[in-house]
C-alpha cells in the first residue's frame, strides 16, 4: 500500500527560519540528486556568493513550497549541515513591514457588503452579494497593487461630460475612458444598472479603506500599497534574494527597485531562451534590464554555464500527446503511466499535474499499490468530502426536519444524519436508532423517542435549537458535534478524514465568530446588517444555507506534507520554480489550461488596459509561462486532453499543446495516442430458466397464489421466476417525498375504506343523505385524508398528529380529495346500497391436473369493497376494485381474450383476470359465506371502478365484454362465465407447475424497460 502524505499546513518542514537554528536535516542525503534543476543552479550560485553569511540572507519565493526544494538543493550542494538563510514569500515580506493584518476572505467580503449597503441603500442579500463582494475586493486589490489613483479611475458620467481638462490623465487612460463612457451612454437596462454601481465604486473603495484601517485590518493590495508608500522601511536582512518571479505588480516592482537602490537585492529569473521573446517570457524579458539575473553570463559564479540553465526547451524529450474520451479515463491512466520507464523509482522527480483539480480523488485511487510515498500538494475540494454532506445534513435537520410544534423530527432528515458515515463516530447508538425508526416506519418520531435510553451525544444531536432574541446558535451546535467526531476519530489512520473535519471545523468556528444567524426578521434587523451588541454580521437562515454552499464550494482542504519525498501530485500553480524529469499533465484542454480565463470585473477591459491593471492577456501569458516552465527541463512529457464534445466539453486541446506541436516540428518527435475504455459491449441474451428439482420443490411448497402472481407470469414467466420462486423482492423506496403510483393508490384505497367504515359503523345501508352530508362537510374529507396519510405514508402513532405536507404531498392530497368527491357523487346516485365488506381477504381452494398428477392450492386476495346495489330493479352484489390509473380504452371480447398475453397492455386483461377471479371466489368459495353470507343464489358481478371516469354520465363500473360494432355484453353475474373462466385458470396453473415447461422470457421486449429484473435476467 502506498503512503499518501497529508499534513496540516506547516510553514516549513525541513528548515527552521531563525538564524540560530540548524536548518538542513542530514536525513535528506538519501534523496535522489538532481543536477539540472533551476533551484540547483540558484543554490550553487547563492552558496558561492553568500556561503559564509547565509544567516544574513532572506530568500524570497512566490510561494512557500519552493523553499523546501531549495533547501534540499543547498544540502546536496554542500553535503553537510549549515546555518540556513531566511525563507519568506513575497506576501510575508510585505506583511512584516506593516502593522495592519489581513483577515480571512469571509470577513473582508462581509466588510465590503456592509459598506456597499450603507452607501447604495441596497437591500441585496448577502448570499447574492457574496460573489460581487469577491469581485470588488479583487478589483480594489488590483488597483492598489498597481498603484492606480481611484479618483482618476472611478470618474462618473456627469463629471466626464463636464470635464474640459484631461491633463491629469495619460493619453492611453483618456482614450480608454472615452470608449467606456461612449458605451455607457447606450441607455439599456443593463447599462443603467452598471452605471449605478460604477458611480458608487469610488465611495465604496474609500469608505472600505477607512473602516478597515480603524480596525487595524487591510486586504492584501491595501497592505502592499501602505508599505510601499512608507518613507522609511527597516529591512532586517543584508541581502534579499528574489527567486523565480514572473509578472510583477507595480508595488512589487517598487519594492524590488527600493531594495536594489539600497544594494540589498539580487534576482534569479527562471526562463528559457526559446520562449523569452514570446508571451510566456515577455514579462521576465521586461525585468532583466531593471533587475539583472544573477545567473547570466556576467554575474553567474564560476562553474555555472548559463546555456545549461536557460536553453533546455530544444533538448531531446520524449513527448506524448494523448486524447481520451473522459476525464475519468485520464485519471485511470496515471497508474499505468507511473508503472513504466522508472517513474516510480525516480520519486520526487516525477510529477502528476492536474489542470482540473477535481480529478484528485480519481487520481489518488488510480495510484499503483507499490508506490511507497506520494505527496499531494493541491487542495482537495471541501465540497467533495464526506464532511460537507454531514454539515448539509445537520443544517437540514434543524431548519427543515424539525416540525412546527418543535416536538418531532422528520425521518427523511433524521436518516441523512444517522445513516451518514460520520454518525458512527458520534454515537454507537446511531445505527440502532436508525434501524428501529426505519423498521417501524416512524416518519415523525418524537424527540423523546430519539433521545430516551440513548447517550448524551444523541441528546445533543436531536436538541431543538432555542433562539435567543431571534438568534439561532446553529454554528456553535455544529462545531460541538464536529468536535466530538474529531475526538472520536483520533485513533483512525485516515489523514483525509482528519483534515476534512479540521477544515470544516475551522470554517464553521470562524463563521460563528463573525456572524449571527437570525430566524425572525424584525424591523430593526431589516435596516441593519451588523449586530450592535457583538459586532457580528447578521445573516438569515435562508441566506445562511446558500452562503454556506458557496463557502464550502470555494474552500479546499490543504494537503501539505514532505514535498522532497515521493511522487508529486499537484495543480499547475504548485509547479512554479520546480523541475521534474517525468511529467504527466491531465486535462490539458482549452478552458482548463489556461483555466477559464475571463475579464470578470467591475472595471471594463478598456479601462483596465488604459490604467495598467491586470487583464485577461496578462493571465493567459502567465499560464503560458507555467506550461513552458513545467516542461522546459523535463525529459519525459505526457500531455492528456479530453476529446469528447458532450457534457459541456468542447473536445479542444489547449492552445499551449497546439503551440508545442508547431514549435517542436522538426526538432522533437511527438507521439500521438488515443485512450479507450478497453471494454467490448457484448450482446445481452435473456435465458430461460429450467424447472429443476429445486425449483419444483419451491412450487410444491406453495400454499396459495394471488392474481398479482398470475399477472407477473402472464407478462413474463421469468419475472414470475425471480419474484415468486427466487423471492427477489423489489426494494421499496422509503421516501415520503416521493409518492409513486402505488403509494397514491394505497392512500386513496385507505381513504375510501375509512369513509365507508365510518358510514357503515352502525348501519350497513348507505343512504344518499349520508353521502351528501359528508360532501357538504368542509372538513370531513380533509380529516379522512389526513388519517390516511398518518396511517399509510407517515406511520404516525398519535391520532392528534397533524402531518406537515410539502408541496408534492399537498398536491397529491388535493388530487385524492378530488377523486373521493367523484366516488361519493357516483355512490350518491346509486344509493341506497349495502356495504358487505371492505378490504377483506377471500380465498378458495382450486385443484388442477399436471401430467396426470393432481395439485391443489388456495387462490384469491384482498377485495377493496363488496356492496349490494339495486340496479334496474335487480339486486346485484358488486365485487368492486378501485382503479386510480388510466381508464380502459379497449376491452376483451370474451373470456379467452383475458388469457391472451398479447392483450395485457392494450386491453388490461389482467385487470379482468383479478376482478373476475375475486367475483368467483366470493360467489363459490366455501368460506365466503362466513364474511358476506351465502352468495350462490345471488347475482355477483365483477366491477372495475375507474375514478377518472366516475364523473361521466351513466357510468357503470361492472365489467363488460366488447362483442363488436360498439356493442357490450355486461357481466352482471359471474356464474355465466365462471365454468370457462375457472378452466382457463386451471390451465394457466398447470402450465406454471409443469416441469417440462421452462420459465421463458417474454417476447414483448418493451415490458423489459420498466422491469426490476431486467439487469439480472440476462446472461
Amino acid at each position: 500500500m502506498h503512503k499518501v502524505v497529508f499534513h496540516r499546513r506547516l510553514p516549513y518542514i525541513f528548515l527552521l527560519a531563525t538564524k540560530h537554528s540548524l536548518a538542513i536535516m542530514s536525513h535528506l542525503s538519501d534523496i535522489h540528486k538532481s543536477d539540472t534543476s533551476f533551484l540547483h543552479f540558484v543554490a550553487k550560485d547563492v552558496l558561492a556568493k553568500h556561503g559564509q553569511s547565509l544567516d544574513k540572507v532572506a530568500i524570497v519565493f512566490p510561494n512557500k513550497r519552493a523553499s523546501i526544494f531549495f533547501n534540499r538543493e543547498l544540502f546536496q550542494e554542500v553535503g553537510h549541515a549549515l546555518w540556513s538563510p531566511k525563507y519568506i514569500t513575497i506576501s510575508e515580506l510585505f506583511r512584516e513591514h506593516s502593522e495592519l493584518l489581513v483577515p480571512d476572505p469571509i470577513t473582508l467580503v462581509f466588510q465590503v457588503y456592509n459598506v456597499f449597503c450603507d452607501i447604495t441603500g441596497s437591500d441585496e442579500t448577502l448570499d447574492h452579494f457574496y460573489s460581487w463582494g469577491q469581485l470588488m475586493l479583487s478589483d480594489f486589490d488590483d488597483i492598489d497593487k498597481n498603484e492606480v489613483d481611484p479618483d482618476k479611475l472611478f470618474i462618473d458620467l456627469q463629471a466626464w461630460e463636464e470635464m474640459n481638462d484631461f491633463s491629469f490623465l495619460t493619453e492611453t487612460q483618456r482614450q480608454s475612458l472615452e470608449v467606456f463612457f461612449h458605451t455607457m451612454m447606450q441607455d439599456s437596462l443593463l447599462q443603467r444598472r452598471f452605471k449605478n454601481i460604477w458611480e458608487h465604486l469610488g465611495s465604496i473603495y474609500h469608505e472600505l479603506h477607512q473602516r478597515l484601517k480603524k480596525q487595524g485590518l487591510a486586504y492584501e493590495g491595501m497592505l502592499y500599497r501602505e508599505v510601499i508608500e512608507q518613507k522609511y522601511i527597516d529591512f532586517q536582512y543584508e541581502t534579499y534574494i528574489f527567486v523565480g518571479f514572473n509578472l510583477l505588480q507595480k508595488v512589487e516592482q517598487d519594492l524590488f527597485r527600493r531594495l536594489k537602490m539600497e544594494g540589498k537585492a539580487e534576482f534569479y529569473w527562471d526562463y528559457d531562451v526559446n520562449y523569452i521573446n514570446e508571451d510566456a517570457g515577455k514579462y521576465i524579458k521586461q525585468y532583466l534590464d531593471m533587475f539583472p539575473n544573477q545567473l547570466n553570463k556576467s554575474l553567474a559564479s564560476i562553474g555555472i554555464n548559463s546555456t545549461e540553465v536557460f536553453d533546455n526547451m530544444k533538448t531531446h524529450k520524449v513527448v506524448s500527446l494523448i486524447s481520451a474520451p473522459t476525464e475519468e479515463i485520464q485519471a485511470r491512466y496515471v497508474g499505468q503511466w507511473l508503472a513504466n520507464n522508472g517513474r516510480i523509482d525516480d520519486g520526487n522527480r516525477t510529477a502528476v499535474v492536474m489542470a482540473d483539480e477535481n480529478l484528485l480523488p480519481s487520481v489518488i485511487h488510480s495510484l499503483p499499490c507499490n508506490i511507497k510515498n506520494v505527496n499531494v500538494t493541491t487542495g482537495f475540494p471541501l465540497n467533495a468530502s464526506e464532511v460537507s454532506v454531514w454539515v448539509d445534513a445537520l443544517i437540514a435537520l434543524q431548519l427543515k426536519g424539525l416540525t412546527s410544534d418543535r416536538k418531532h423530527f422528520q425521518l427523511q432528515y433524521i436518516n441523512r444524519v444517522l445513516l451518514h458515515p460520520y454518525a458512527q463516530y458520534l454515537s454507537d447508538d446511531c445505527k440502532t436508532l436508525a434501524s428501529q425508526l426505519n423498521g417501524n416506519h416512524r416518519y415523525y418520531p418524537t424527540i423523546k423517542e430519539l433521545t430516551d435510553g440513548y447517550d448524551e451525544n444523541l441528546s445533543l444531536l436531536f436538541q431543538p435549537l432555542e433562539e435567543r432574541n431571534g438568534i439561532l446558535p446553529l454554528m456553535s451546535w455544529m462545531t460541538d458535534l464536529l468536535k466530538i467526531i474529531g475526538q472520536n476519530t483520533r485513533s483512525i489512520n485516515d489523514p483525509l478524514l482528519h483534515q476534512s473535519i479540521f477544515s470544516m471545523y475551522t470554517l464553521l468556528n470562524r463563521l460563528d465568530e463573525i456572524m449571527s444567524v437570525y430566524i425572525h426578521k424584525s424591523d430593526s434587523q431589516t435596516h441593519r446588517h451588523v449586530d450592535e451588541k457583538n459586532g457580528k454580521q447578521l445573516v438569515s437562515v435562508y441566506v445562511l444555507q446558500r452562503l454556506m454552499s458557496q463557502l464550502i464550494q470555494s474552500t479546499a482542504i490543504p494537503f501539505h506534507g514532505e514535498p522532497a519525498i515521493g511522487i508529486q501530485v499537484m495543480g499547475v500553480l504548485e509547479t512554479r520554480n520546480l523541475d521534474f524529469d517525468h511529467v504527466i499533465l491531465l486535462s490539458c484542454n482549452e478552458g482548463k489550461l489556461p483555466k477559464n480565463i475571463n475579464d470578470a470585473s467591475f472595471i471594463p477591459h478598456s479601462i483596465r488596459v488604459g490604467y495598467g491593471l491586470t487583464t485577461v492577456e496578462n493571465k493567459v501569458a502567465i499560464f503560458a509561462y507555467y506550461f513552458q516552465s513545467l516542461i522546459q527541463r523535463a525529459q519525459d512529457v505526457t500531455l492528456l486532453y479530453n476529446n469528447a464534445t458532450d457534457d459541456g466539453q468542447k473536445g479542444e486541446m489547449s492552445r499551449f499543446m497546439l503551440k508545442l506541436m508547431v514549435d517542436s516540428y522538426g526538432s522533437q518527435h511527438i507521439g500521438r495516442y488515443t485512450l479507450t475504455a478497453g471494454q467490448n459491449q457484448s450482446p445481452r441474451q435473456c435465458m430461460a430458466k429450467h424447472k429443476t428439482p429445486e425449483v419444483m420443490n419451491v412450487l410444491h411448497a406453495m400454499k396459495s397464489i394471488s392474481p398479482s402472481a398470475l399477472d407477473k407470469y402472464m407478462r413474463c414467466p421469468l419475472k414470475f421466476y425471480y419474484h415468486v420462486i427466487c423471492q427477489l423482492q423489489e426494494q421499496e423506496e422509503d421516501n415520503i417525498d416521493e409518492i409513486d403510483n402505488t403509494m397514491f393508490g394505497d392512500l386513496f384505497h385507505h381513504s375510501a375504506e375509512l369513509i365507508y367504515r365510518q358510514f357503515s359503523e352502525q348501519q350497513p345501508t348507505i343512504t344518499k343523505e349520508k353521502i351528501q352530508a359528508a360532501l357538504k362537510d368542509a372538513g370531513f374529507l380533509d380529516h379522512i385524508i389526513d388519517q390516511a396519510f398518518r396511517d399509510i405514508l407517515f406511520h404516525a402513532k398519535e391520532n392528534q398528529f397533524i402531518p406537515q405536507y410539502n408541496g408534492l404531498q399537498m398536491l397529491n392530497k388535493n388530487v385524492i380529495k378530488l377523486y373521493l368527491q367523484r366516488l361519493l357523487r357516483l355512490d350518491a346516485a346509486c344509493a341506497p346500497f349495502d356495504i358487505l365488506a371492505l378490504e377483506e381477504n377471500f380465498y378458495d381452494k382450486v385443484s388442477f391436473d399436471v401430467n396426470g398428477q393432481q395439485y391443489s392450492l388456495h387462490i384469491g386476495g384482498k377485495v377493496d369493497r363488496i356492496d349490494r346495489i339495486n340496479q334496474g330493479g335487480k339486486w346485484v352484489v358488486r365485487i368492486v376494485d378501485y382503479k386510480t390509473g388510466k381508464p380502459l380504452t379497449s376491452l376483451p371480447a370474451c373470456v379467452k381474450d383475458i388469457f391472451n398475453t398479447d392483450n395485457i397492455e392494450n386491453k388490461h386483461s389482467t385487470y379482468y383476470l383479478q376482478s373476475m377471479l375475486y367475483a368467483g371466489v366470493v360467489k363459490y368459495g366455501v368460506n365466503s359465506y362466513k364474511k358476506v353470507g351465502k352468495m350462490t343464489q345471488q347475482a355477483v358481478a365483477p366491477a372495475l371502478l375507474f375514478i377518472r371516469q366516475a364523473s361521466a354520465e351513466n357510468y357503470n363500473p361492472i365489467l363488460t365484454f366488447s362483442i363488436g360494432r360498439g356493442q357490450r355484453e355486461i357481466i352482471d353475474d359471474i356464474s355465466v362465465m365462471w365454468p370457462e373462466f375457472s378452466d382457463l385458470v386451471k390451465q394457466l396453473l398447470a402450465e406454471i407447475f409443469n416441469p417440462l415447461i421452462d420459465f421463458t422470457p417474454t417476447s414483448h421486449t418493451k415490458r423489459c424497460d420498466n422491469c426490476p429484473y431486467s439487469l439480472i435476467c440476462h446472461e
Side-chain angles (χ1 to χ4, degrees):
M1 179 63 69
H2 52 266
K3 177 184 178 185
V4 183
V5 184
F6 292 148
H7 287 305
R8 196 169 301 167
R9 186 183 298 274
L10 299 175
Y12 305 104
I13 304 299
F14 300 128
L15 59 143
L16 301 174
T18 65
K19 66 180 182 179
H20 301 294
S21 58
L22 196 60
I24 314 298
M25 303 298 183
S26 60
H27 74 272
L28 295 179
S29 59
D30 59 345
I31 296 176
H32 176 73
K33 184 174 181 181
S34 169
D35 295 326
T36 60
S37 72
F38 169 66
L39 292 180
H40 165 75
F41 291 115
V42 174
K44 187 173 183 177
D45 196 63
V46 168
L47 282 170
K49 296 172 179 175
H50 303 280
Q52 303 304 314
S53 57
L54 282 177
D55 59 325
K56 299 177 182 179
V57 172
I59 301 183
V60 187
F61 292 99
N63 59 12
K64 288 181 178 179
R65 197 164 178 277
S67 64
I68 302 166
F69 277 81
F70 182 78
N71 216 33
R72 179 198 67 175
E73 297 294 344
L74 278 181
F75 176 77
Q76 290 179 345
E77 187 64 28
V78 298
H80 59 79
L82 75 165
W83 296 105
S84 76
K86 164 79 170 182
Y87 295 105
I88 191 173
T89 65
I90 187 69
S91 177
E92 290 169 339
L93 178 57
F94 273 100
R95 295 184 193 204
E96 280 185 355
H97 297 94
S98 175
E99 294 182 355
L100 299 176
L101 298 175
V102 178
D104 57 82
I106 303 170
T107 299
L108 286 171
V109 173
F110 284 2
Q111 294 274 358
V112 177
Y113 173 66
N114 294 324
V115 171
F116 174 82
C117 292
D118 291 345
I119 287 178
T120 65
S122 171
D123 58 357
E124 196 72 44
T125 59
L126 179 58
D127 60 306
H128 282 162
F129 177 83
Y130 198 85
S131 58
W132 292 11
Q134 291 175 313
L135 210 56
M136 283 186 188
L137 277 172
S138 177
D139 286 342
F140 295 163
D141 185 77
D142 202 14
I143 287 169
D144 285 334
K145 285 182 177 177
N146 287 287
E147 301 177 43
V148 172
D149 185 343
D151 294 326
K152 292 182 180 179
L153 177 66
F154 297 122
I155 301 173
D156 64 39
L157 184 59
Q158 183 177 353
W160 174 262
E161 290 175 335
E162 296 172 355
M163 196 175 295
N164 296 314
D165 181 10
F166 297 96
S167 60
F168 67 97
L169 298 172
T170 66
E171 182 62 20
T172 304
Q173 291 172 348
R174 188 194 65 77
Q175 290 177 1
S176 66
L177 284 171
E178 195 170 82
V179 171
F180 168 58
F181 283 116
H182 176 73
T183 304
M184 279 188 66
M185 290 176 188
Q186 300 171 14
D187 194 28
S188 68
L189 175 62
L190 183 61
Q191 294 291 6
R192 289 197 300 272
R193 292 185 66 182
F194 177 78
K195 176 184 171 184
N196 183 53
I197 294 176
W198 176 264
E199 290 176 347
H200 288 101
L201 283 176
S203 301
I204 294 171
Y205 171 91
H206 289 299
E207 180 64 23
L208 179 64
H209 268 238
Q210 291 179 16
R211 293 192 188 183
L212 289 175
K213 271 194 173 182
K214 284 182 182 179
Q215 302 171 66
L217 303 176
Y219 53 85
E220 191 173 73
M222 175 181 167
L223 183 145
Y224 281 21
R225 191 168 192 167
E226 184 262 344
V227 170
I228 212 64
E229 289 176 353
Q230 295 175 19
K231 292 183 178 180
Y232 173 75
I233 301 176
D234 181 16
F235 294 108
Q236 180 181 354
Y237 292 87
E238 290 183 2
T239 305
Y240 287 83
I241 298 175
F242 296 91
V243 179
F245 284 82
N246 184 255
L247 173 64
L248 298 175
Q249 308 286 1
K250 289 182 180 178
V251 286
E252 294 168 333
Q253 294 180 40
D254 287 348
L255 181 67
F256 282 23
R257 287 193 195 94
R258 195 162 182 167
L259 284 165
K260 181 188 172 188
M261 290 175 61
E262 294 183 17
K264 292 186 173 184
E266 293 179 359
F267 309 95
Y268 290 85
W269 303 96
D270 183 17
Y271 62 91
D272 194 282
V273 293
N274 294 283
Y275 63 74
I276 191 66
N277 294 314
E278 301 172 357
D279 276 354
K282 68 179 182 181
Y283 297 113
I284 292 177
K285 184 178 180 181
Q286 292 174 18
Y287 306 139
L288 286 176
D289 290 335
M290 290 185 288
F291 312 116
N293 189 2
Q294 291 294 311
L295 291 178
N296 67 26
K297 293 180 180 179
S298 61
L299 296 177
S301 57
I302 297 174
I304 295 179
N305 184 342
S306 294
T307 301
E308 188 179 357
V309 182
F310 300 115
D311 190 4
N312 294 282
M313 231 22 217
K314 296 295 185 181
T315 59
H316 175 69
K317 305 178 190 296
V318 177
V319 182
S320 300
L321 305 186
I322 303 177
S323 62
T326 68
E327 298 292 299
E328 188 67 24
I329 287 178
Q330 294 184 56
R332 292 180 186 177
Y333 176 69
V334 169
Q336 180 181 334
W337 181 83
L338 285 171
N340 296 311
N341 299 332
R343 292 163 180 142
I344 294 177
D345 294 336
D346 280 350
N348 61 5
R349 300 299 302 160
T350 300
V352 178
V353 184
M354 299 165 293
D356 180 359
E357 295 178 6
N358 290 320
L359 279 180
L360 178 60
S362 298
V363 168
I364 291 176
H365 287 298
S366 300
L367 297 176
C369 293
N370 61 329
I371 297 180
K372 294 181 180 179
N373 293 294
V374 177
N375 181 62
V376 180
T377 61
T378 188
F380 186 89
L382 186 60
N383 67 330
S385 66
E386 291 286 356
V387 74
S388 174
V389 181
W390 172 255
V391 167
D392 186 57
L394 291 178
I395 293 175
L397 180 68
Q398 286 289 349
L399 301 185
K400 298 179 181 177
L402 186 62
T403 59
S404 57
D405 62 6
R406 300 181 62 78
K407 294 180 181 179
H408 304 78
F409 280 101
Q410 297 182 56
L411 181 59
Q412 59 175 317
Y413 297 104
I414 296 171
N415 276 337
R416 289 176 61 181
V417 175
L418 293 184
L419 300 180
H420 190 280
Y422 283 11
Q424 61 183 312
Y425 308 127
L426 181 67
S427 171
D428 293 335
D429 293 331
C430 286
K431 187 175 181 180
T432 302
L433 177 58
S435 178
Q436 290 180 354
L437 294 174
N438 288 281
N440 296 322
H441 300 285
R442 298 290 293 132
Y443 292 110
Y444 281 87
T446 63
I447 293 172
K448 186 177 180 181
E449 283 182 77
L450 299 171
T451 56
D452 275 11
Y454 300 111
D455 62 33
E456 60 184 10
N457 289 344
L458 282 183
S459 296
L460 174 63
L461 177 63
F462 294 113
Q463 165 194 339
L465 298 182
E466 298 293 336
E467 59 165 295
R468 294 182 180 178
N469 299 321
I471 303 300
L472 195 68
L474 184 63
M475 291 297 171
S476 58
W477 173 71
M478 289 194 292
T479 53
D480 287 345
L481 291 169
L482 273 178
K483 186 176 181 180
I484 294 170
I485 292 172
Q487 291 170 342
N488 292 339
T489 54
R490 287 176 179 172
S491 61
I492 299 175
N493 184 23
D494 187 344
L496 177 57
L497 172 70
H498 299 152
Q499 193 63 51
S500 58
I501 292 173
F502 176 78
S503 296
M504 183 63 78
Y505 178 84
T506 303
L507 174 62
L508 295 180
N509 203 43
R510 180 57 186 149
L511 289 176
D512 192 37
E513 291 174 353
I514 62 177
M515 74 182 194
S516 295
V517 181
Y518 67 84
I519 57 175
H520 297 301
K521 199 167 185 179
S522 64
D523 292 338
S524 60
Q525 288 168 334
T526 303
H527 302 292
R528 62 189 174 89
H529 307 282
V530 178
D531 192 328
E532 296 174 356
K533 295 179 182 178
N534 53 31
K536 292 184 178 183
Q537 189 75 34
L538 287 171
V539 179
S540 71
V541 291
Y542 175 69
V543 169
L544 169 73
Q545 294 174 77
R546 296 194 294 181
L547 182 61
M548 280 291 297
S549 176
Q550 293 182 48
L551 291 174
I552 291 174
Q553 192 169 6
S554 62
T555 301
I557 302 170
F559 293 152
H560 295 268
E562 300 177 356
I565 296 178
I567 304 294
Q568 305 293 301
V569 179
M570 57 183 65
V572 174
L573 297 182
E574 285 79 29
T575 65
R576 288 176 291 181
N577 295 335
L578 304 180
D579 294 303
F580 304 96
D581 294 335
H582 311 282
V583 172
I584 183 171
L585 177 57
L586 308 179
S587 304
C588 197
N589 281 79
E590 194 66 18
K592 292 183 178 178
L593 195 73
K595 195 170 193 175
N596 290 326
I597 298 298
N598 58 57
D599 254 345
S601 170
F602 284 105
I603 304 172
H605 180 267
S606 60
I607 294 186
R608 300 188 74 85
V609 172
Y611 282 81
L613 296 173
T614 305
T615 63
V616 65
E617 290 81 11
N618 302 138
K619 298 173 184 176
V620 170
I622 292 170
F623 269 96
Y625 173 75
Y626 292 156
F627 177 81
Q628 299 278 19
S629 62
L630 173 63
I631 65 175
Q632 64 188 14
R633 296 183 182 90
Q635 306 162 13
D636 169 23
V637 178
T638 302
L639 308 175
L640 289 92
Y641 73 100
N642 189 337
N643 63 358
T645 56
D646 55 359
D647 196 25
Q649 299 286 341
K650 295 181 179 179
E652 183 180 358
M653 68 171 63
S654 168
R655 66 189 77 178
F656 305 143
M657 283 182 70
L658 289 170
K659 188 176 188 306
L660 177 66
M661 293 170 63
V662 173
D663 292 346
S664 301
Y665 182 76
S667 62
Q668 299 279 8
H669 172 71
I670 298 180
R672 296 291 302 275
Y673 308 96
T674 298
L675 288 180
T676 59
Q679 295 178 350
N680 296 321
Q681 186 69 28
S682 57
R684 301 174 67 192
Q685 186 175 2
C686 202
M687 305 295 290
K689 299 298 181 182
H690 303 306
K691 291 178 182 171
T692 63
E694 291 79 11
V695 171
M696 292 308 299
N697 287 338
V698 175
L699 287 170
H700 293 157
M702 289 176 59
K703 303 297 182 184
S704 63
I705 194 167
S706 67
S708 62
L710 297 179
D711 171 57
K712 287 179 175 61
Y713 184 84
M714 291 175 66
R715 289 179 182 274
C716 175
L718 265 185
K719 187 174 185 178
F720 176 91
Y721 168 80
Y722 285 115
H723 185 87
V724 178
I725 305 300
C726 299
Q727 291 291 301
L728 294 177
Q729 306 298 320
E730 188 175 0
Q731 185 176 0
E732 294 183 8
E733 293 292 333
D734 199 11
N735 185 353
I736 60 175
D737 280 341
E738 297 290 336
I739 299 180
D740 58 15
N741 291 336
T742 301
M743 175 57 70
F744 180 87
D746 291 345
L747 288 167
F748 175 83
H749 278 67
H750 191 54
S751 298
E753 178 190 359
L754 291 173
I755 290 172
Y756 283 102
R757 284 204 186 280
Q758 186 171 328
F759 284 175
S760 59
E761 275 179 344
Q762 297 177 348
Q763 175 59 252
T765 300
I766 310 300
T767 64
K768 184 175 184 178
E769 292 74 22
K770 187 180 291 187
I771 295 175
Q772 289 178 337
L775 286 170
K776 292 178 181 179
D777 185 344
F780 175 74
L781 287 181
D782 286 322
H783 173 76
I784 290 290
I785 299 171
D786 286 343
Q787 184 62 46
F789 270 84
R790 263 195 298 272
D791 296 341
I792 302 299
L793 187 64
F794 300 131
H795 296 272
K797 295 178 181 179
E798 306 89 347
N799 287 330
Q800 69 275 15
F801 172 72
I802 300 176
Q804 286 186 226
Y805 297 107
N806 60 27
L808 182 61
Q809 292 164 352
M810 181 58 72
L811 177 63
N812 279 277
K813 177 184 175 181
N814 290 336
V815 174
I816 290 172
K817 185 175 181 178
L818 175 66
Y819 282 7
L820 290 174
Q821 289 170 341
R822 289 183 181 177
L823 174 64
L824 290 173
R825 292 191 184 104
L826 176 68
D827 286 343
C830 300
F833 57 87
D834 295 331
I835 293 292
L836 304 182
L838 293 169
E839 301 295 335
E840 290 280 358
N841 286 312
F842 289 86
Y843 284 90
D844 193 24
K845 191 173 184 179
V846 59
S847 298
F848 53 95
D849 179 86
V850 179
N851 298 330
Q853 184 177 352
Q854 286 294 311
Y855 289 87
S856 63
L857 73 165
H858 288 84
I859 192 168
K862 182 180 286 187
V863 178
D864 294 343
R865 165 176 149 185
I866 301 177
D867 59 28
R868 184 187 290 110
I869 191 168
N870 190 312
Q871 195 164 34
K874 176 184 176 183
W875 286 97
V876 177
V877 174
R878 298 188 306 181
I879 312 302
V880 179
D881 189 6
Y882 298 125
K883 295 295 181 186
T884 55
K886 187 178 180 181
L888 302 177
T889 55
S890 181
L891 305 178
C894 60
V895 172
K896 285 185 179 180
D897 256 7
I898 297 172
F899 293 86
N900 184 342
T901 57
D902 294 335
N903 294 332
I904 292 177
E905 281 79 20
N906 62 342
K907 296 184 179 180
H908 290 291
S909 55
T910 54
Y911 285 1
Y912 271 62
L913 173 67
Q914 175 177 297
S915 187
M916 293 180 69
L917 181 62
Y918 286 160
V921 169
V922 170
K923 185 176 179 75
Y924 298 108
V926 294
N927 294 315
S928 298
Y929 74 92
K930 296 178 182 179
K931 298 180 179 180
V932 292
K934 194 172 183 179
M935 291 286 160
T936 54
Q937 303 303 317
Q938 300 187 52
V940 177
L944 289 173
L945 202 163
F946 284 91
I947 303 300
R948 296 188 188 182
Q949 288 182 323
S951 58
E953 188 176 356
N954 299 322
Y955 175 68
N956 187 350
I958 294 177
L959 296 187
T960 59
F961 283 140
S962 176
I963 57 176
R965 297 185 179 181
Q967 295 183 7
R968 302 287 179 88
E969 179 184 0
I970 190 167
I971 311 174
D972 54 7
D973 190 355
I974 190 62
S975 60
V976 179
M977 312 289 180
W978 185 246
E980 181 183 7
F981 180 87
S982 60
D983 282 345
L984 290 172
V985 169
K986 292 175 183 178
Q987 290 179 28
L988 182 62
L989 292 172
E991 180 181 316
I992 294 173
F993 278 75
N994 190 335
L996 302 178
I997 300 177
D998 293 337
F999 290 115
T1000 56
T1002 179
S1003 59
H1004 296 270
T1005 55
K1006 285 188 176 181
R1007 294 175 188 170
C1008 300
D1009 294 343
N1010 298 316
C1011 177
Y1013 308 109
S1014 60
L1015 295 178
I1016 62 172
C1017 72
H1018 298 84
E1019 295 181 353

